[in-house]
Amino acid sequence: MNQHPSTDQTLLKMPSLRAVRSFVAAARYESFTRAADTLCVTQAAISRQIRELEEHLGTILFERAGRSVKLTPAGSIFFEAAQLSFLNIAQAATRIRKDYGTHARRTVVVCCSPAFSALWMAHRLPSFFTANPDIDLDLVTTQNFLALEPGIHPDVFITKMAHVRDNYVSVPLFHDRIYPVCTPAYLAGHPEIRSLEGLRDGVLLNLSPYGRSQVAEHVDWSVWLAIHHMDIEDRLLHGAHYFNANDYILLIQMVLGNQGVALGFDHLVLPYIERGLLVKPVEQELVLEETRHYFAYREDKANDNALNRFRSWFFDQGDVTLATL
């Protein structure tokens, strides 16, 4: 092992950690008695440790007035630094016990879009936690997978990007299937939307690309209708309104509130259709054969037990069939 003389000298100059712990407790409570009770030692032991610390530092840390004590200016400086150091040590110890201890709980960090989190993950997660009570999930949502905050290193990305970062293994999943959706009640009140012409002229709730990652082709109503030989520009100028939002969760909530028709992404809206909350007013759909969703996991954690259990659970879900390449 390499020797680091400067580090060795620093360690030799360090005061006793036991004395520093006694000092921090006494400073926090402004009482040697309460410090002793907290640390389960005698008051005499606290006094002795603090005297040793003051001798080491060459200055008085407390003004003593009967049973009460008050920090001196030097004591205040030392307390601020010592308390922060102990907090850092305590946090590191907690993290190590959690991740590496005998009864450690594992955490899997998963990054996906807000829509995937709310509409796909949320109602499925209870089954994961029931089967894996010793694993915690840390879910990070973003619209732009290329601009995550520094220090965010997910174990798993669920995204439309085939290559989200270096040193990740990407598993191709399903294509997007996109079709109009509305509630049964809305369809009953607006039977004209059973045709493409009526749909084009109805209340359309549209997903705009604003603020999104722009890493995959964007399908809005104009694109979807054009694929089916309809021109969005042929809508009546004074007809039903056309609502734009870049929040897909909001659009689905509006659809569920009988406020119009939105384009449904099959993997996100299928549970609502299966429960009878949403229906397809027309049979036409669009399948994006050139793009897929991907499950990307850290290459250096390929053998990590917690990650593999999450991956197995994810692939057991019925609508994430692995792609055939």
Side-chain angles (χ1 to χ4, degrees):
M1 180 182 294
N2 293 330
Q3 297 296 317
H4 300 281
S6 60
T7 302
D8 292 344
Q9 289 300 313
T10 299
L11 292 174
L12 289 172
K13 294 178 181 179
M14 285 284 292
S16 161
L17 286 181
R18 181 180 296 178
V20 176
R21 186 176 68 161
S22 296
F23 164 76
V24 169
R28 182 175 298 168
Y29 296 114
E30 296 185 337
S31 167
F32 287 6
T33 301
R34 289 193 62 187
D37 291 341
T38 299
L39 299 180
C40 299
V41 297
T42 65
Q43 182 177 340
I46 295 292
S47 296
R48 184 171 61 254
Q49 292 290 338
I50 290 176
R51 278 199 306 273
E52 291 179 6
L53 180 60
E54 289 176 331
E55 290 174 2
H56 180 88
L57 296 175
T59 188
I60 299 300
L61 299 175
F62 288 103
E63 295 176 359
R64 296 159 174 83
R67 292 189 174 184
S68 65
V69 294
K70 183 179 179 181
L71 287 170
T72 64
S76 296
I77 294 172
F78 193 72
F79 175 64
E80 183 176 343
Q83 180 172 237
L84 180 59
S85 296
F86 272 95
L87 286 173
N88 288 336
I89 292 170
Q91 289 172 356
T94 298
R95 187 163 61 248
I96 289 169
R97 283 196 300 269
K98 178 180 178 182
D99 294 340
Y100 301 100
T102 304
H103 303 290
R105 292 181 64 83
R106 307 302 186 209
T107 299
V108 178
V109 182
V110 179
C111 183
C112 61
S113 71
F116 194 88
S117 169
L119 302 177
W120 192 96
M121 294 279 286
H123 65 280
R124 290 175 165 87
L125 285 179
S127 69
F128 174 80
F129 291 129
T130 298
N132 301 277
D134 59 325
I135 299 178
D136 294 330
L137 288 184
D138 186 352
L139 193 61
V140 178
T141 65
T142 182
Q143 294 285 21
N144 192 338
F145 295 90
L146 299 178
L148 289 177
E149 294 180 12
I152 301 297
H153 303 287
D155 299 310
V156 173
F157 282 98
I158 303 169
T159 173
K160 293 184 181 181
M161 298 177 64
H163 180 79
V164 62
R165 278 188 185 178
D166 291 337
N167 303 315
Y168 279 78
V169 178
S170 290
V171 181
L173 302 173
F174 50 88
H175 301 293
D176 268 324
R177 290 179 56 217
I178 307 170
Y179 44 76
V181 291
C182 65
T183 62
Y186 190 85
L187 180 59
H190 302 82
E192 68 278 3
I193 65 173
R194 293 181 181 275
S195 70
L196 289 177
E197 292 82 1
L199 189 64
R200 178 199 62 200
D201 296 334
V203 176
L204 299 182
L205 309 178
N206 187 60
L207 180 63
S208 76
Y210 180 79
R212 303 173 69 83
S213 62
Q214 301 289 302
V215 296
E217 58 188 283
H218 179 73
V219 176
D220 60 10
W221 273 111
S222 63
V223 172
W224 193 90
L225 287 169
I227 293 295
H228 294 95
H229 311 294
M230 302 292 297
D231 191 342
I232 194 73
E233 298 299 326
D234 291 339
R235 279 171 57 88
L236 299 175
L237 291 178
H238 303 291
H241 65 266
Y242 186 86
F243 177 78
N244 266 299
N246 68 333
D247 185 344
Y248 191 68
I249 301 168
L250 169 66
L251 295 182
I252 295 302
Q253 290 300 316
M254 292 178 68
V255 171
L256 292 169
N258 299 310
Q259 297 182 55
V261 186
L263 288 173
F265 291 79
D266 183 70
H267 66 288
L268 300 180
V269 301
L270 185 59
Y272 293 95
I273 292 175
E274 292 175 339
R275 291 160 56 193
L277 298 176
L278 295 179
V279 295
K280 303 177 185 179
V282 296
E283 290 302 315
Q284 287 85 350
E285 64 178 30
L286 170 63
V287 179
L288 299 182
E289 298 283 358
E290 301 302 317
T291 62
R292 298 184 185 276
H293 290 254
Y294 293 86
F295 182 99
Y297 61 92
R298 284 176 53 169
E299 191 173 20
D300 63 342
K301 286 195 171 184
N303 297 318
D304 181 81
N305 179 263
L307 191 153
N308 285 335
R309 284 156 65 186
F310 177 80
R311 182 171 57 187
S312 295
W313 169 83
F314 182 86
F315 291 145
D316 282 343
Q317 306 306 302
D319 55 353
V320 294
T321 306
L322 298 180
T324 301
L325 297 179

